[in-house]
Each structure stands twice: as C-alpha cells, then as structure tokens.
Amino acid sequence: MSDPNLLAGRYRLLERRDRTGTTWRSRDELLQRDVTVTGMALPPPGPQRDGLLARIRAAADLRHPNVITLHDVVSFPDQVWLILESVEGRSVLQTVRAEGPLTSERTAEVGLRVLDAQTAAHERGVHLLAGPESVLLTPDGRVVVTGFAIFDTTDELRDLGALLFTAVEGQVPDTGPRPADGTAPASPLGDLVESGPASGSTGAATSGPLAPLVESLLTADPAHRPDADTARTILRGLTPRPAGSRRPLLIVVAAALVLLAGGGTAFWLWSRPASQPTNAAPAPLPTFFAKAPDPCSLISEEQAGRLYLAPSPSREKATCEWQAADTTAPGSLRNTLKITVVRESKATLAHAKYLRLHAQDMKDTRTVSALADVPGLGDEAYAYQISNGHSSVNSVIVIRVGNIVTALQYHRFTVPDTDGRGSAGALQAARWTVDSLRVRETPSG
C-alpha cells in the first residue's frame, strides 16, 4: 500500500520553504535524494493552460549547470507540482545582506554564468527569472538561476542589471515593487510563479568598472540597453584571467564601456570629448584651409581603439577607412569607420556642396532615419542612418568647417541600431574630427 503522506507515492514533503506554503523541502523516497517541490494552480482548460504546460515541458528539457533542474512534474486536474533539484546556497540578495557587496570581479563572474544560463534557456524556448532573489550562490562556487518565467516572458537583461547592481552595491535598485517587508522570499523558488518585467528607474547610481553596463541595463527605455553579446564581452573582460591574456579583450571592453557610458544615454559621448577638459573653452574653428587635411590624421590610434577599430587605417584618395579591431567579435562590436574630406577654394562653395549632399541624402531610399541637423558640430552638420536592410547599418554625419566638407560613416554589423550605439559612435568620431580640425593652422585665404 502506498504511503498517504507521499506526493505521487514518492515525494515526502518535509518543511515549508516559503510563507505561502507552496514550496517545500522534500525527499524523493524512490531515489533517496533531497528535492524541492513547488506547487502552482492551473488555469482552466484552454489556450492559457496549454501554453503553461508547454513552457513547463520546455523547462524540463533544459539541462545546464547554471540552471536549476526540473526533475519531474506531478499533475492534478487543477494543480501541478514541480519536482526540482535541491540546491544549497543563498541568493545574491541574501549574500550581500549577510556579507556585504561582492567585488566587481566576482560580480562579473556571476553575471557571465547567468548570461550563459539565459543563452542555453533561449535555445529551448525558455525564459528565466534571474533577479537578485532568484540567483543562488552555493558554497562550492556554483551560480544557479532558480526562476522560470512560466506564465509570461520577462525582461531578462534588465533583471541582469538588477542582479549586478545588487551584487556590487549591496542593495536592490528601485526597479519596481518588492515584497511588502522588503525581504527576499524564503526560497527564490517562489519566482516560479508569475512575474512581470521590472519597471521604473533605479533611483540610485552605481560606481566602479561595472557602472556603465549596470546603468545601461537598468535604463527604462529598452532601445537604450546593450544586447547580450555586448554585456558578455564587458563582463568577460572584468573577470580574472591569466597574465598576458587580457590586453586584446580589454581593448574590446574599453570600447564597449565607452559606448555605454552615461547610463544608456548615447549622446553623452559627443558632449564630453576626451581630447579636452569639459570646463575648457574650445579653440575657435578654422575659417579656411589652404590644403585638405589628411583624413587619416583626424582620428588617433587611441581614439580608434575606443571605438573598437583597428589602429592603422587604409587610404584611398580623399578617404580613410578603419576596419574592425577584431573581425571575430559579435556584430554589435564589429564596426568600421570611413572619413572623406573634400576641400573647396571658398567657404561659400563648401556650403553649396554641403547643401547638395543634403538634398541627395534626402532622396536616398536606404535611409532608415530622417536627416537631422546637429547643432554645435562644425559650422553646420546633419546626421542620418542608412541600412542594407538585413545585416548592417551606417550612421552618417556630414560636417562643414570653413571651406572643407567632411563625411563620416560609422558602419555597424547589426540591424537595427535600436540601442543607439551606432549613432553614438558616429557622433563621438565626428566630435573628435572637429576637435582635430580646431588645432590646425588657418592661413588666410
């Protein structure tokens, strides 16, 4: 005769692990191992129930060292019980409350493991809940995501931002409602129930090497957040690595951090040029150039590196082109830059050429953003984006300074430029170009 105290004749519920009584520390009497059992109500028969069961089946197929394992499902007419791996450890939130903030290096390691888990889950069509209350740190150093988005998908990259913020700051960012008493659930497995994406602003700023990434991940506007590849590159560059193996990766990380600086506000980049202090009055713009400036001299090697470009450009007549520093990098970091300089004998002729280019670009059928004037950049400037529609986007800026017209194309191998890093990179290169032109001699003409 089966034991009436066993769930499905197999699982003995030993101790409640949350306040609601839906999650239990349990024992699998058949396999003689500890498990965690979580119950959830089923919707009425229909599409919602079918979708829920499909997500549970997908979660059961997922096997990854950084994701809690779903061993079994016990189904009743109006409820299911999920039989999960038992993981000993504390959530990130519990850890920082007990021990204080994690180091930037340890936080980056945790973030990388979470991104690995999210990537593996996506391959199975599974979305994870990976906030500071649902990521466990075990005594043996394992990082385990314990939450599945069973009912609805979640804003996973923003969850990652909240996790990183909590780890390095020792407190949860203000991204939405938390439990009334401000504490984490007794078990992060409570996150198996329905949860929506975070909303609002952080209400606080973080500091240290992770600050640009964390603040951009927590930006309320999804269009200003980095993608997973960029986040992974930055985190990988901040984790401990053998001596001699960091420099190429750190170049990539430096470029990514530059493009994320300002908490997701892309235009921070050109309003604070690195070539001069922000409190210094800029040198006046030249009014005449006796000869056309060398386009390859307008961007320094250090500046090229900050935009993740190879240091040595190629030249063709009046055009200079910088290739990507690493052609194997993710598309979001594999960029190129092309600068073309044309000199006219008079500023009035350069102005006329600028207007002709503006009219031509207005008619370009590849344009994906309207032409917009860029005040404060040269004597006059406009910017727009064009795309081949499937694999890349060009952020273009045309500038007139005195009697020369300069066209910049910052090419990014990703479509669309939803996070604004393409336009931000182009604006940064344009500002550096104008700053370079300021310091040149200007013979009268």
Side-chain angles (χ1 to χ4, degrees):
M1 178 180 293
S2 62
D3 188 336
N5 296 315
L6 298 181
L7 178 66
R10 176 174 174 178
Y11 303 107
R12 188 178 302 279
L13 307 185
L14 300 175
E15 179 185 5
R16 286 192 175 114
R17 299 191 66 178
D18 68 347
R19 292 182 296 273
T20 64
T22 58
T23 300
W24 293 73
R25 182 177 68 83
S26 307
R27 181 73 176 173
D28 182 346
E29 298 289 6
L30 177 63
L31 297 181
Q32 292 294 297
R33 67 180 179 186
D34 292 334
V35 293
T36 298
V37 175
T38 293
M40 67 169 61
L42 283 173
Q48 188 178 7
R49 174 181 288 205
D50 294 342
L52 169 62
L53 294 176
R55 291 189 181 191
I56 292 175
R57 286 192 292 270
D61 286 339
L62 178 60
R63 292 292 184 271
H64 191 274
N66 301 117
V67 181
I68 195 168
T69 300
L70 176 55
H71 292 309
D72 192 11
V73 179
V74 178
S75 180
F76 293 94
D78 60 351
Q79 188 176 33
V80 292
W81 291 87
L82 307 182
I83 315 302
L84 296 134
E85 171 190 11
S86 179
V87 180
E88 294 300 323
R90 293 186 295 192
S91 72
V92 169
L93 180 59
Q94 292 167 336
T95 299
V96 299
R97 282 179 172 165
E99 303 175 7
L102 306 183
T103 65
S104 296
E105 291 79 8
R106 176 56 175 156
T107 299
E109 289 178 336
V110 172
L112 276 176
R113 299 292 77 79
V114 170
L115 275 173
D116 289 344
Q118 290 174 336
T119 300
H122 290 171
E123 293 174 355
R124 293 283 186 179
V126 177
H127 293 272
L128 302 178
L129 299 174
E133 298 175 358
S134 55
V135 174
L136 290 185
L137 306 181
T138 69
D140 61 359
R142 186 181 172 202
V143 178
V144 186
V145 180
T146 64
F148 297 96
I150 295 296
F151 286 93
D152 293 305
T153 59
T154 184
D155 194 336
E156 290 174 298
L157 286 177
R158 200 155 194 235
D159 285 351
L160 176 64
L163 173 71
L164 298 176
F165 183 102
T166 302
V168 295
E169 293 297 314
Q171 60 182 338
V172 178
D174 182 15
T175 57
R178 295 190 293 277
D181 61 359
T183 63
S187 167
L189 295 169
D191 284 336
L192 283 160
V193 299
E194 182 175 6
S195 177
S199 62
S201 62
T202 66
T206 186
S207 58
L210 279 168
L213 175 62
V214 172
E215 292 177 8
S216 62
L217 287 170
L218 290 175
T219 299
D221 185 356
H224 287 166
R225 294 181 205 148
D227 56 24
D229 286 337
T230 300
R232 180 178 287 104
T233 300
I234 295 170
L235 292 172
R236 190 179 295 137
L238 295 174
T239 56
R241 297 169 64 86
S245 64
R246 289 179 61 85
R247 190 169 185 271
L249 186 58
L250 285 176
I251 294 174
V252 179
V253 173
L257 288 172
V258 165
L259 295 177
L260 292 179
T265 305
F267 295 100
W268 186 96
L269 295 167
W270 69 273
S271 64
R272 289 188 179 181
S275 57
Q276 61 184 34
T278 56
N279 60 351
L285 285 169
T287 58
F288 181 80
F289 293 84
K291 62 179 182 179
D294 176 6
C296 294
S297 69
L298 300 178
I299 300 292
S300 70
E301 288 188 10
E302 184 271 337
Q303 291 167 343
R306 291 179 65 183
L307 290 179
Y308 191 41
L309 301 169
S312 301
S314 60
R315 185 195 313 270
E316 183 178 349
K317 296 182 179 178
T319 297
C320 200
E321 185 167 4
W322 289 258
Q323 298 298 323
D326 182 1
T327 57
T328 65
S332 59
L333 291 175
R334 197 168 69 248
N335 311 312
T336 65
L337 174 67
K338 182 184 291 186
I339 299 180
T340 300
V341 176
V342 176
R343 175 187 174 274
E344 299 289 351
S345 59
K346 297 180 180 179
T348 53
L349 296 177
H351 174 65
K353 183 174 186 62
Y354 172 90
L355 295 178
R356 288 196 301 272
L357 290 172
H358 190 285
Q360 292 171 8
D361 291 338
M362 285 282 289
K363 299 176 182 178
D364 195 330
T365 58
R366 300 171 299 162
T367 299
V368 294
S369 68
L371 273 67
D373 291 338
V374 185
L377 194 62
D379 293 322
E380 50 190 341
Y382 66 89
Y384 68 101
Q385 289 185 324
I386 57 175
S387 174
N388 63 8
H390 56 85
S391 65
S392 64
V393 62
N394 262 346
S395 297
V396 182
I397 300 181
V398 179
I399 311 164
R400 182 183 70 84
V401 177
N403 61 320
I404 68 165
V405 176
T406 304
L408 299 92
Q409 296 185 47
Y410 190 59
H411 189 119
R412 188 176 180 207
F413 290 90
T414 184
V415 174
D417 184 38
T418 53
D419 55 18
R421 289 199 303 277
S423 56
L427 284 165
Q428 179 66 90
R431 171 57 73 179
W432 282 331
T433 295
V434 172
D435 286 344
S436 181
L437 293 175
R438 288 183 191 276
V439 300
R440 295 171 188 267
E441 295 181 2
T442 55
S444 59

